[in-house]
Amino acid sequence: MPAEIVDLRSDTVTVPSAAMREVMAAAPVGDDVYDEDPSIRALEELAAELCGKEAGLFVPSGSMANVIAQMVHARPGDEIVVPDKAHSVLYEVGAGPRLAGVQYSEIAGRALFTAEELAPRIKAPTFHTPGTGAVWVENTHNMAGGRIFPQEDLVAIGELCHERGVPLHMDGARLFNAVVASGRSAAEIAAPVDTVTFCLSKGLGAPVGSVLSGTKEFRTEAHRTRKLLGGGMRQAGIVAAGGIFALEHHIDELAEDHRRARTLAQRANAMAGLAVELDAVETNIVMADVESGDAEGLAERAKERGLLFHALEPTRVRFVTHRDLSDAAIERALELLATCL
Ligand SMILES: *Cc1c(COP(=O)(O)O)cnc(C)c1O
């Protein structure tokens, strides 16, 4: 591969800046299994406050946050109602069924859904059938191309779940992309849900971790479940400090990622051989349909020239913009893409 690489595989490839590393090196630390790491507690309080929840729990990954939420909200055998192509179903190694013992009731074809679509899927347990342990929303929705959950629908879904006594969880790995693109606060977006998680290690640019927030009682159970999964950390305030830095300095800059994604989408859509649904590009993810039908081949040819992206489906590729890309990198990506097509 050429020396200069443009990496559009994911916003997880971002690396901590010199300023972030400096803050991390100086972070006060303690034993987090005893809940005594001051940097972790500060991050958890900041994250919970931003999300409008009582308490937050720092966890090593978004996947762990999601499985903890399933273990705390549901009992083995329960159903979790999930959107179409949920990250938890596709990309978490089957953690929900395997570790929480849940099964999924998928709203096929609907990454973003309405309260009316959800209503018939919420079930009380009967002699024959499982009950609903939790309802899941993903915001922004990864496989839908970073789409933002319509807030009116979320509010109606929250009311329905509340009425029916079913917990509502938001996989908000890219919650702050939704914040910046919609102009709503994280607290407003997360108000209808009982629990919410977001990743620090994606577009926000910290090296490790997610924060899972909810009530104080939820956090107590989640903290214990994190320990059960082997996620009890010790002086992890060093990494948490990177998360605080990211929340304090990097949220607004996500707007740049969104601007670059739009440029990429428009120009890619204008190329023969690619089609992008431009209205679906709301944040930092661009899904492009490959007319030749060979997404894998296109990704391979691009990789040989130093342009990285994923072929997520046989005829579909995904480009993700992030803070370690410049406008020049996007130009270079577009040139290479045109060559490969
Ligand atoms: C990235 C991501 C996660 C969690 O990913 P980790 O790699 O485990 O941190 C969860 N949900 C969505 C929608 C994601 O994009």
Side-chain angles (χ1 to χ4, degrees):
M1 263 196 295
E4 207 190 310
I5 306 263
V6 182
D7 196 343
L8 300 177
R9 286 173 302 169
S10 178
D11 43 11
T12 55
V13 301
T14 46
V15 297
S17 63
M20 182 183 280
R21 283 168 187 262
E22 222 169 275
V23 170
M24 291 171 71
V29 295
D31 190 330
D32 181 51
V33 171
Y34 296 145
D35 247 343
E36 287 174 2
D37 185 301
S39 298
I40 292 185
R41 294 319 304 265
L43 170 63
E44 291 176 340
E45 275 166 30
L46 174 61
E49 191 191 313
L50 285 171
C51 293
K53 301 299 174 204
E54 280 177 13
L57 179 73
F58 184 53
V59 291
S61 69
S63 297
M64 189 185 282
N66 283 335
V67 76
I68 289 174
Q70 292 173 80
M71 291 172 83
V72 174
H73 287 317
R75 290 184 310 177
D78 280 353
E79 279 185 3
I80 309 275
V81 182
V82 291
D84 195 41
K85 295 183 185 163
H87 190 279
S88 289
V89 176
L90 294 179
Y91 299 122
E92 293 171 13
V93 206
R98 186 162 167 181
L99 302 175
V102 298
Q103 52 188 344
Y104 294 125
S105 166
E106 211 163 338
I107 308 183
R110 301 289 288 150
L112 313 170
F113 54 88
T114 63
E116 290 67 38
E117 288 166 323
L118 169 64
R121 293 169 184 273
I122 298 182
K123 299 191 284 191
T126 67
F127 182 72
H128 293 287
T129 60
T132 301
V135 172
W136 212 254
V137 291
E138 194 171 302
N139 196 14
T140 65
H141 194 296
N142 175 18
M143 288 298 279
R147 294 205 80 161
I148 301 168
F149 214 103
Q151 194 64 23
E152 323 77 70
D153 290 329
L154 199 51
V155 169
I157 287 167
E159 282 165 8
L160 175 64
C161 289
H162 195 78
E163 260 167 43
R164 306 286 294 268
V166 177
L168 177 59
H169 174 79
M170 180 182 286
D171 176 357
R174 295 187 178 85
L175 173 63
F176 287 96
N177 292 88
V179 166
V180 168
S182 70
R184 295 178 200 272
S185 69
E188 182 186 354
I189 292 175
V193 307
D194 297 290
T195 55
V196 55
T197 175
F198 68 85
C199 287
L200 294 157
S201 60
K202 292 190 168 166
L204 290 175
V208 179
S210 286
V211 184
L212 172 62
S213 299
T215 62
K216 284 195 183 119
E217 298 73 51
F218 173 82
R219 187 199 182 271
T220 301
E221 273 311 299
H223 187 226
R224 193 157 174 267
T225 308
R226 187 188 70 177
K227 181 78 164 65
L228 169 69
L229 295 172
M233 295 175 282
R234 301 294 181 185
Q235 287 73 30
I238 291 178
V239 282
I244 296 173
F245 186 92
L247 289 173
E248 286 175 347
H249 297 96
H250 292 171
I251 294 176
D252 292 346
E253 293 177 22
L254 293 171
E256 287 292 285
D257 300 349
H258 299 171
R259 179 179 62 75
R260 293 193 176 107
R262 180 131 291 275
T263 303
L264 188 68
Q266 284 166 341
R267 303 257 307 270
N269 187 47
M271 289 179 192
L274 280 186
V276 179
E277 195 193 323
L278 293 175
D279 289 345
V281 182
E282 297 180 323
T283 57
N284 69 325
I285 301 178
V286 178
M287 294 288 193
D289 290 316
V290 182
E291 278 158 21
S292 71
D294 184 15
E296 199 68 58
L298 180 64
E300 285 292 319
R301 289 197 299 283
K303 187 176 171 185
E304 282 162 19
R305 290 171 173 81
L307 172 62
L308 306 183
F309 55 82
H310 283 306
L312 286 185
E313 290 176 11
T315 62
R316 208 160 222 225
V317 293
R318 184 188 73 168
F319 309 112
V320 184
T321 58
H322 54 78
R323 57 181 295 105
D324 290 358
L325 294 169
S326 60
D327 287 337
I330 298 295
E331 285 303 320
R332 172 121 187 92
L334 286 161
E335 270 167 36
L336 290 170
L337 199 55
T339 312
C340 296
L341 283 163

